[in-house]
Amino acid sequence: MEELDSSKTLVRKQATYNSMDESFVTKETYRGQQYSQIYFARLHLMRTMLNPIANNWKPHLPVCTVLGLEEGKECILIGTLFKHMKLKPSILNEYSKQRSITPVVKPRNYCHADDYLVLEDESGRVKLGGNTLSPSKYVTGLVVALYGKVAGNGDFDVRDILEAGLPSQVEFPLESREDKYVVFVSGLSVGSSAYNPLQLQLLVDHITGHLGDEKEQEIAAQIVRVVIAGNSVEITRPLVNGQSGQNLASKDQSKLYEPIKELDIFLTQIAAGVPLDIMPGKNDPANSSLPQQQSLNICLFPGSAAYNTFRSCTNPHCFELDSVRFLGTSGQTIDDIEKCSEAEDKLEFMERTLRWRHLAPTTPNTLGCYPFTDRDPFLIVNCPHVYFVGNQDTYATRLIKESEGQMIRLISIPKFSETGVAVVLNLKNLECHTLSFETQFS
C-alpha cells in the first residue's frame, strides 16, 4: 500500500439536507376509527387527480358512479379496485376445525387463475369483466378510471384503463454539480445467524475513510450521507416468543439488548464523521404498522444519538439532498405487492407504484397501517428523483425517463447480511454502483 501523505488533510464534502417526513408522522390519537375512512380519503384525493386527466382522455364520455350505470351506455368509472383472491389467507381457514388434519399451506404468491376484480365507490360496487384488465397485474386499494359499459350479465365490460401516471417533478438541478455520494445499505441484521461483524466493520471503515489508499480515501471523503433502510437488528425469536420482557430472566434480558448495543457501536463510528439516516424495518424494535414506527427511539442508541449527524427517521422516508428528492421504504410495501400480483422483477413493482401514485396500495388490506381518518400519507404527490426500496434479495437499478421530463432512479437495495453489498449513488448524475465486501473463514 502506498504511504499516505500525512500533511494532506481531506475535508468531507457537505450537502444541504431537508427532511420531508412530516406527513408520515402520526399525530392523531386512535379512538377506535375504522379502516374504511382511509379508503374514502384515498378515493376522494385520487379522484381529484384523475378527474381532469379523464376529461382529456375521453372528453366525449360522462363520468358516472356505480349506482348511475345504465346497461349498454358507455361511460367512465372512477373508483377503488378490490381483488378477489382465491388463495388469500383467511383467519377463518387458519383456525378451522380441520386445521390439524389439513395444514394450511402459505404460498409465496397468492395469485390464481380464478381471481377477479371489482370496482367500488361511495355508491356501490360492480364486478369487472372483459379482457383488457389482467387481475394478476393489479392489487386491492388502487384508484383508477375505467372506460367501458355494463354488459348483459351485469358486469362492467372494461375497454380501457387510465392510471394516474407519474406526478410532476421538480427539475433536476444540473448547475455547478460535483461528485457527491450517498451510500444505501439495508438488512444489517445484527444478531442473526447471517450477521458477519467483519463484513460490517469493513463497510464502516470504507465510509469513514479508514480503509484503502489515498485515492480511495478521497472518494470516501465525497460521501455526504449514509441511509440504512431497515432491518438493522434481529432479536432471537425464542427469547421473545410467548413471554413479555418482564417475565424474562435477567440473563435473557441482556441478550435481547446485545444486538442493539453492538449496532450502536457501528453507528457511532459512522455518525462521528458522516451524516446518517436510519429507518426502521420489519425486524426492528418498533411498531409494525405503517407509516412504520415513527422512527426508532434514540434511547436505543446512546452513542450515535449524541452526534447531531444521527437521524432516526420514519418508514417510508422522504428527504432532499442538494435539491435532489429521495423517497424510499424498508421493503414491506414492495414485498406485499409481490404476494398479491405478478411482475418480471422488483423494479417493475416499484415503477407501478409510481405510476399508481401510491407507495403502499395494499394498505390496510394485506399490509398493516394506521387508520387515518382524513388523509392518506402514502399518496405520491411529487415525483422523487430517487426511489429506493430496502431488504431485497438482489441489487437492481433502472433509470426512468419520461417525455414530460421526469427522471427517476429506481434502486433495489439487497440485504447486506446475506450479500455483503451496499449501493452508492452519485448526486451529480444519479449514477449507481455497488460496494461489495466478502469475507471467508476457514
Side-chain angles (χ1 to χ4, degrees):
M1 182 182 293
E2 297 180 6
E3 184 176 350
L4 299 180
D5 184 2
S6 58
S7 63
K8 184 177 180 180
T9 302
L10 294 175
V11 179
R12 184 171 298 281
K13 290 185 178 180
Q14 303 293 321
T16 305
Y17 179 83
N18 180 27
S19 174
M20 308 179 76
D21 285 340
E22 297 86 358
S23 62
F24 302 126
V25 177
T26 305
K27 298 179 181 179
E28 57 186 281
T29 304
Y30 178 69
R31 295 185 174 87
Q33 61 265 33
Q34 299 299 305
Y35 283 106
S36 59
Q37 292 173 294
I38 190 173
Y39 279 122
F40 285 132
R42 182 182 305 176
L43 177 58
H44 172 72
L45 294 169
M46 286 298 298
R47 182 185 281 131
T48 304
M49 298 181 191
L50 282 168
N51 267 326
I53 304 175
N55 290 333
N56 293 328
W57 179 48
K58 305 284 184 183
H60 61 288
L61 293 176
V63 177
C64 298
T65 63
V66 171
L67 194 60
L69 290 175
E70 298 178 17
E71 184 177 342
K73 182 180 178 181
E74 292 185 343
C75 66
I76 294 175
L77 272 181
I78 297 179
T80 306
L81 291 180
F82 172 79
K83 186 175 181 178
H84 184 277
M85 305 185 70
K86 185 177 181 178
L87 299 180
K88 179 183 171 183
S90 168
I91 192 69
L92 297 178
N93 292 337
E94 292 184 16
Y95 290 93
S96 64
K97 294 180 180 178
Q98 291 79 21
R99 68 185 185 279
S100 59
I101 302 173
T102 307
V104 177
V105 179
K106 294 184 177 181
R108 181 178 176 86
N109 184 279
Y110 302 133
C111 289
H112 190 272
D114 294 337
D115 294 345
Y116 61 87
L117 295 170
V118 173
L119 189 95
E120 183 177 288
D121 63 12
E122 299 95 329
S123 66
R125 52 174 18 201
V126 61
K127 185 178 177 182
L128 303 179
N131 300 321
T132 303
L133 281 183
S134 173
S136 63
K137 180 181 177 180
Y138 297 95
V139 296
T140 296
L142 293 177
V143 178
V144 295
L146 302 177
Y147 156 59
K149 62 182 179 180
V150 177
N153 61 357
D155 294 351
F156 187 78
D157 186 15
V158 180
R159 305 289 180 85
D160 202 357
I161 181 171
L162 174 68
E163 300 170 358
L166 293 178
S168 59
Q169 183 185 60
V170 177
E171 186 176 355
F172 182 75
L174 296 173
E175 296 80 9
S176 65
R177 304 294 290 181
E178 56 180 338
D179 291 326
K180 293 181 181 180
Y181 298 102
V182 180
V183 175
F184 295 95
V185 65
S186 68
L188 301 178
S189 299
V190 176
S192 71
S193 58
Y195 166 61
N196 185 336
L198 177 57
Q199 208 171 44
L200 181 53
Q201 187 62 58
L202 287 173
L203 172 65
V204 172
D205 288 345
H206 177 82
I207 292 172
T208 55
H210 293 96
L211 195 67
D213 56 17
E214 185 174 355
K215 183 178 180 181
E216 290 180 349
Q217 290 183 355
E218 288 177 352
I219 295 174
Q222 296 173 338
I223 297 174
V224 296
R225 199 159 208 93
V226 176
V227 178
I228 302 177
N231 288 0
S232 300
V233 297
E234 188 167 314
I235 308 298
T236 307
R237 295 301 175 188
L239 289 177
V240 296
N241 283 350
Q243 52 185 326
S244 65
Q246 294 178 343
N247 296 329
L248 287 174
S250 58
K251 180 180 67 174
D252 291 335
Q253 287 182 359
S254 64
K255 286 183 179 179
L256 280 175
Y257 183 63
E258 282 176 4
I260 302 173
K261 186 177 180 180
E262 188 169 352
L263 174 65
D264 186 40
I265 294 173
F266 287 109
L267 297 184
T268 302
Q269 296 177 58
I270 298 175
V274 190
L276 167 68
D277 287 0
I278 182 169
M279 299 164 56
K282 181 180 178 181
N283 298 331
D284 292 322
N287 65 291
S288 60
S289 59
L290 296 177
Q292 199 190 11
Q293 303 131 339
Q294 304 303 293
S295 74
L296 292 165
N297 197 312
I298 60 174
C299 295
L300 298 172
F301 311 106
S304 49
Y307 293 91
N308 59 7
T309 53
F310 176 85
R311 291 186 64 91
S312 180
C313 306
T314 60
N315 172 32
H317 181 32
C318 184
F319 62 96
E320 284 186 354
L321 274 179
D322 283 354
S323 300
V324 176
R325 179 166 296 188
F326 293 74
L327 177 65
T329 73
S330 296
Q332 301 99 311
T333 54
I334 298 300
D335 291 343
D336 196 65
I337 292 174
E338 184 184 26
K339 294 177 183 177
C340 305
S341 62
E342 296 175 344
E344 291 185 2
D345 53 31
K346 294 294 183 71
L347 295 179
E348 185 174 341
F349 287 124
M350 294 175 65
E351 185 174 346
R352 284 181 190 174
T353 58
L354 287 176
R355 298 189 185 280
W356 294 336
R357 296 199 191 185
H358 206 282
L359 266 178
T362 56
T363 57
N365 183 47
T366 53
L367 184 62
C369 77
Y370 183 84
F372 293 94
T373 57
D374 58 352
R375 65 188 181 100
D376 185 350
F378 307 112
L379 292 181
I380 303 175
V381 180
N382 296 299
C383 192
H385 298 105
V386 181
Y387 179 30
F388 64 91
V389 172
N391 298 291
Q392 302 305 302
D393 295 329
T394 58
Y395 162 73
T397 185
R398 182 183 301 159
L399 185 65
I400 301 174
K401 290 185 178 181
E402 290 292 296
S403 57
E404 296 181 359
Q406 297 100 323
M407 182 172 67
I408 311 104
R409 169 64 68 179
L410 306 181
I411 307 175
S412 168
I413 309 169
K415 303 170 187 173
F416 186 81
S417 61
E418 297 179 6
T419 64
V421 172
V423 182
V424 181
L425 173 85
N426 192 339
L427 284 177
K428 179 180 179 180
N429 49 22
L430 301 186
E431 290 184 357
C432 271
H433 68 272
T434 58
L435 295 173
S436 183
F437 301 89
E438 185 175 350
T439 58
Q440 294 181 348
F441 296 97
S442 57

